[in-house]
Amino acid sequence: MFRTALRNVFAHKARLLMTAFAVMLGVTFITGSLVYGDSLNQATTAQATDGYERIAVNVAAEADPANGGRPGDLDARTATALAKLPGVAAVAGRVDGFAAVADRDGKPLGNGEDAQGGNFAPAADGKDPAYRFTEGSGPTGKDTIALDEATAAKGGYRVGDSVRVGTNKGASSYTLSGIFRTDGTKLPAGGSLTLFAGATAQKFFLEPGRYKNIELTATPGTDVTQLLSRVESVLPKGTSAVTGARLAQIKANLATSGTSTMSQILVGFAAVALFVATFLISNTFTMLVARRTRELALMRAVGATREQVRRILLTESLLVGASASVAGLAVGTGVAALLQTLFADTPAAPLVLTPATVIISMLVGTLLPMVAAWLPIRRAMAIPPVAALSAAEHTAPARPGSLRSGLSAALVLTGTAAVVYGALTTGKDARTVIGLGAALALTGTIGLIPLLSRPVVTLFRPLLARLAPVHGDLAVRNTVRDPRRTGATAAALAIALTLASGLSVLGASATQYLDRATTHALSADYVVKSAGGQRMNPTTAAPLKKLAGATYSPLNQSTGYRLGGSESVLTGVDPATIGKLLRYDVVEGSLDSLAKGQIAVADFKAEQAGWHVGQTLPLERQNDQRGSLTIGAIYQADEQSDLMPSVTAPDSLVARYDSTPSTAGILVATDGGRGRAARAGVTHALGDNPTLSVLDQADIRTQDSSGIGDQLNVFYALVSMALVIAALGIANTLAMSVLERRKELGTLRALGLDRAGVTRMIRLEALLLGALGATLGTVMGVFLGWALGRTLQANVAGYELVLPWGRLALTILIALAGSLLASLWPARRAARVDIPAATAAQ
């Protein structure tokens, strides 16, 4: 039986080629996902733990809630006491924070979010074990810095050059004293690291004479556990100690938690690609078995049992799957390497191909074809040998009253009802309900496509009658000749279009919401933000006083309040200017009340807490400060807005309770409005600080929507794999159809249909298959996009459904173009059918 199966595979290798290619693509996807995820986890773990082997014990300052979140007492005296403990070879006090390096044009170098600054902490020999200098030496003066090797190369800096560096305390120019290499814990991938002298770093990132943590190095032969006990016995209140090994484990767990999410997303899309491939495989074996009905019946007639024939066919599918899986493993490993290149900001490491990945990929790739081929084989085995020998082909067209159709209709109705229920109730489990309902509805639609194919395809008949009356009519008849085959082919494309259309609807709706929220609320010309997403110091805005004609107000946020029994964040603004910089839609009271020391509250906050204008609320803060505030205005605001505060207060009132609030942004308006000169003036007034970004409305719109756009582009790239497999399914279906219809094609040629006409007919069949899948997929995608969008409306005020007609049309055009490309080879074969051979009696 094995020899027979192997001989059959080679005999039908051309017909099985695209099936094997589809399996290979699916295995490639899942192998690439697993290999990339494992490699990324290993690289991230190595980076997160690199350097901790030299640390015996790490002492850190903890935030003290009772002291306004101020870190515990970790200063030079603590470091001196730790250095005197038995078994301690050296101590190194560390501080770190945000520090951006400017290039020679004044723009930040590297990834702003990972622009780090730290202190050079030399031991007795003048060296810091955390850094290995390749040029120069560590900074020792207040006007010197050192840069990591990658940042120095990117900026073209050499030792002795002047480098401008900015922190949350301002920007200055420094002399570059050295260039170094360091471990991954100090320098994130794609980031920059600037070293300052110890006192300078403390002034920028903490307080003079204080440390964020202290690293202890042990003398040879010291028991780390005993050393930890000795360290804990002398630690002051508000500090804690942990071994370097334990800290490395904690850092590794934190680092890999984010990478696992990306791996799960990739594996999820791999599962979709494999699911789509199932239709192609099942369709191929349906046609192969139908073509070989006489052959199989003859085997039964000469003595082969039904079970033996079934085993031969399943062995064929196993051989196809196994060979395709081996190829998919190899290609998938290459795809993982390509992903590492594309995501350059992730840590690089050798590719990791684990036994689990090999086993999973091989099992999926070999079992999937067997499962997909089971139903066609079972259907063929039900045909008696005598009947099979007497007929060329036995088809089982879908009937409206069949059990399959009834069950599919029930699934569609149940799934649609679940989706609508989840969309209208918008409860905490709404998305789960919608997901389950979508799975049921999609499964039912796939089962109903054979019945839907005839009415949907008929809709396109008038258009085809105008374009090509004869060829179009033939294409329509051929497309609906075998509804099950047509349905299985179109189902793969429908799944891909459902995902693409749903993502387009959600992305367009979210982008328009963000755009409207930004343009409506912002009246200022510019918003100044930290380039790394950090909070700024309230003194950052002070230099704008010298900018002629400028109107500005910082957004000074202060936390830790209970206002009228409700957890609240107060945002301090300049009462005299805020009305010109932010558009407050006041629904009750007046914004002028800010100048009287009162507060203004967002409508959603007032509604949640039951507040009204004129109400005086008791105020409590975590540091036991108490007071009372009066509501002077209520205004409309979006709970998700980054600009409109939930509680707006005069900055003098916030300063009464919090001397060091964090500035989320600075709103600036200039006399001449937006322009290159105005932006340059604001930038220069703020000290040409590379840590600060001066953004106009267009910049903010781009910044807010870029994350959505980047994610959508990744998802579209992943969905494209399913589109490729669906196109292969169309090519395979048409190719097998051409083989089955050789006599018919020969007859049409004999009756006068030329090669161009045959080619046009096959291409129109492909377009009809593409149109059927695209129509059903787009309708389902828009429906699911609406349902999921409804779950966002409960938490995101102003979110509305937006149908991106252009993107939806582009997706449909891509599907149709893919269908047309898939028809090139089958159409070429159909046009070259030999007329005498095809029309000869069988």
Side-chain angles (χ1 to χ4, degrees):
M1 286 188 296
F2 180 78
R3 287 197 302 270
T4 303
L6 187 62
R7 188 163 51 247
N8 288 336
V9 169
F10 283 108
H12 304 97
K13 55 182 179 293
R15 303 178 189 180
L16 292 169
L17 181 61
M18 280 181 283
T19 299
F21 190 55
V23 176
M24 187 197 75
L25 283 178
V27 174
T28 294
F29 209 153
I30 196 167
T31 300
S33 302
L34 294 174
V35 171
Y36 176 72
D38 291 339
S39 303
L40 183 60
N41 279 340
Q42 179 171 299
T44 304
T45 300
Q47 183 188 61
T49 58
D50 184 22
Y52 283 107
E53 69 279 355
R54 60 180 170 77
I55 302 174
V57 176
N58 184 79
V59 179
E62 299 174 341
D64 184 6
N67 195 21
R70 184 174 180 270
D73 195 9
L74 198 58
D75 52 19
R77 289 179 301 176
T78 305
T80 302
L82 293 172
K84 295 178 180 179
L85 292 176
V88 176
V91 298
R94 304 288 183 191
V95 292
D96 58 63
F98 177 61
V101 182
D103 61 16
R104 297 187 184 276
D105 295 327
K107 298 178 180 178
L109 282 171
N111 185 358
E113 295 181 358
D114 292 322
Q116 300 292 318
N119 65 308
F120 179 67
D125 59 358
K127 297 181 179 179
D128 189 330
Y131 308 104
R132 303 174 295 281
F133 280 83
T134 57
E135 295 182 42
S137 58
T140 55
K142 64 180 181 178
D143 296 325
T144 59
I145 60 163
L147 290 178
D148 68 272
E149 196 173 42
T151 303
K154 193 179 298 182
Y157 291 123
R158 303 295 300 271
V159 172
D161 288 349
S162 178
V163 183
R164 192 162 185 82
V165 181
T167 69
N168 289 335
K169 299 290 181 68
S172 297
S173 295
Y174 302 85
T175 300
L176 184 61
S177 67
I179 298 172
F180 60 86
R181 296 175 181 172
T182 187
D183 52 62
T185 60
K186 302 292 183 183
L187 180 61
S192 62
L193 179 58
T194 306
L195 292 183
F196 300 89
T200 306
Q202 288 175 329
K203 180 181 70 174
F204 286 158
F205 305 132
L206 201 56
E207 294 177 13
R210 301 179 62 78
Y211 299 109
K212 184 177 180 180
N213 64 291
I214 299 176
E215 299 171 353
L216 277 64
T217 305
T219 56
T222 301
D223 185 279
V224 176
T225 304
Q226 294 180 0
L227 178 59
L228 178 63
S229 299
R230 288 195 289 268
V231 168
E232 289 176 334
S233 65
V234 299
L235 287 183
K237 183 180 179 182
T239 59
S240 62
V242 66
T243 64
R246 175 58 181 159
L247 187 59
Q249 183 180 1
I250 294 172
K251 295 291 186 181
N253 293 337
L254 290 174
T256 56
S257 61
T259 60
S260 61
T261 302
M262 174 60 75
S263 300
Q264 292 169 2
I265 292 174
L266 291 174
V267 171
F269 276 94
V272 172
L274 288 168
F275 183 62
V276 172
T278 304
F279 292 94
L280 191 158
I281 299 165
S282 179
N283 220 18
T284 300
F285 273 90
T286 298
M287 291 182 287
L288 278 175
V289 171
R291 286 283 298 171
R292 295 164 59 191
T293 303
R294 287 172 174 255
E295 172 193 334
L296 299 176
L298 184 60
M299 292 177 64
R300 294 280 307 282
V302 297
T305 65
R306 180 179 297 180
E307 185 62 29
Q308 286 176 320
V309 175
R310 182 183 292 114
R311 287 179 185 175
I312 290 173
L313 294 175
L314 287 176
T315 302
E316 291 178 24
S317 66
L318 175 64
L319 291 172
V320 171
S323 58
S325 298
V326 172
L329 267 172
V331 179
T333 305
V335 169
L338 178 63
L339 288 174
Q340 283 189 334
T341 304
L342 293 176
F343 297 105
D345 288 341
T346 59
L351 294 177
V352 178
L353 182 60
T354 64
T357 297
V358 175
I359 293 172
I360 291 173
S361 300
M362 290 299 297
L363 281 177
V364 169
T366 54
L367 292 179
L368 182 65
M370 296 179 67
V371 172
W374 176 260
L375 186 60
I377 294 172
R378 180 176 177 273
R379 192 180 299 131
M381 291 301 97
I383 301 175
V386 175
L389 285 171
S390 63
E393 182 179 354
H394 291 269
T395 61
R399 296 183 301 274
S402 67
L403 177 62
R404 170 180 171 174
S405 301
L407 180 60
S408 298
L411 288 175
V412 170
L413 292 175
T414 304
T416 303
V419 171
V420 173
Y421 174 78
L424 297 180
T425 56
T426 63
K428 63 177 183 178
D429 297 325
R431 293 177 191 175
T432 303
V433 173
I434 290 174
L436 293 174
L440 293 175
L442 189 59
T443 303
T445 302
I446 292 170
L448 283 179
I449 286 181
L451 289 178
L452 296 174
S453 60
R454 186 177 297 275
V456 174
V457 169
T458 303
L459 292 176
F460 299 100
R461 186 190 290 268
L463 177 62
L464 294 180
R466 286 176 174 271
L467 297 176
V470 176
H471 311 98
D473 185 65
L474 288 173
V476 170
R477 291 175 181 272
N478 289 329
T479 301
V480 299
R481 174 184 297 182
D482 190 338
R484 281 184 175 170
R485 180 188 301 175
T486 300
T489 305
L493 192 60
I495 294 170
L497 265 293
T498 297
L499 291 174
S501 302
L503 289 172
S504 296
V505 170
L506 285 174
S509 301
T511 300
Q512 177 166 302
Y513 156 72
L514 291 173
D515 180 46
R516 185 172 58 248
T518 299
T519 56
H520 176 77
L522 185 62
S523 301
D525 296 325
Y526 300 104
V527 178
V528 180
K529 290 188 175 184
S530 172
Q534 310 289 322
R535 294 304 175 102
M536 297 173 287
N537 191 290
T539 59
T540 304
L544 291 173
K545 294 178 181 179
K546 302 177 182 178
L547 184 61
T551 303
Y552 71 94
S553 173
L555 301 174
N556 295 324
Q557 290 189 344
S558 182
T559 61
Y561 295 91
R562 285 191 65 83
L563 185 60
S566 173
E567 298 289 340
S568 302
V569 175
L570 268 60
T571 300
V573 300
D574 183 353
T577 62
I578 192 62
K580 304 174 184 177
L581 303 172
L582 278 183
R583 186 175 290 108
Y584 281 84
D585 295 328
V586 178
V587 295
E588 189 178 356
S590 172
L591 202 62
D592 294 337
S593 60
L594 293 175
K596 303 175 184 178
Q598 298 180 349
I599 62 173
V601 180
D603 53 355
F604 67 86
K605 181 75 173 177
E607 183 178 351
Q608 292 170 0
W611 297 340
H612 57 84
V613 169
Q615 184 176 359
T616 299
L617 305 172
L619 178 144
E620 300 177 7
R621 199 153 186 254
Q622 291 176 345
N623 55 2
D624 293 332
Q625 289 178 305
R626 298 180 184 275
S628 61
L629 301 178
T630 300
I631 299 176
I634 295 177
Y635 54 88
Q636 292 181 348
D638 190 335
E639 193 170 355
Q640 307 299 320
S641 174
D642 291 332
L643 286 175
M644 292 300 294
S646 59
V647 179
T648 304
D651 47 14
S652 58
L653 187 150
V654 170
R656 185 189 312 168
Y657 296 98
D658 189 353
S659 59
T660 57
S662 61
T663 301
I666 305 170
L667 306 175
V668 185
T670 59
D671 277 346
R674 291 187 293 272
R676 182 177 299 179
R679 187 195 294 261
V682 174
T683 302
H684 184 68
L686 292 170
D688 295 315
N689 191 337
T691 66
L692 301 178
S693 297
V694 181
L695 310 173
D696 59 15
Q697 286 189 356
D699 296 327
I700 295 174
R701 186 183 301 117
T702 302
Q703 190 178 74
D704 289 344
S705 61
S706 62
I708 296 175
D710 292 342
Q711 291 179 9
L712 285 177
N713 289 336
V714 172
F715 291 154
Y716 286 142
L718 297 174
V719 170
S720 65
M721 183 69 75
L723 282 171
V724 170
I725 295 176
L728 288 175
I730 294 175
N732 216 18
T733 298
L734 292 175
M736 299 295 288
S737 177
V738 167
L739 286 173
E740 293 175 352
R741 295 156 51 195
R742 289 184 74 251
K743 186 170 185 177
E744 172 193 323
L745 293 171
T747 304
L748 288 173
R749 290 292 313 281
L751 292 174
L753 191 65
D754 58 7
R755 288 187 174 183
V758 173
T759 300
R760 190 176 299 115
M761 179 183 69
I762 299 298
R763 289 177 178 174
L764 288 175
E765 289 180 29
L767 286 175
L768 284 172
L769 287 171
L772 174 61
T775 301
L776 296 176
T778 302
V779 170
M780 289 189 292
V782 171
F783 174 59
L784 295 179
W786 164 79
L788 290 173
R790 285 279 307 177
T791 65
L792 297 175
Q793 288 178 330
N795 298 321
V796 181
Y799 178 94
E800 295 179 357
L801 176 68
V802 175
L803 294 180
W805 297 109
R807 185 167 292 182
L808 291 175
L810 178 62
T811 305
I812 294 174
L813 286 176
I814 291 174
L816 294 178
S819 302
L820 193 60
L821 287 174
S823 70
L824 295 180
W825 179 54
R828 184 172 180 270
R829 293 194 63 183
R832 296 193 174 192
V833 167
D834 183 76
I835 298 176
T839 55
Q842 297 183 2

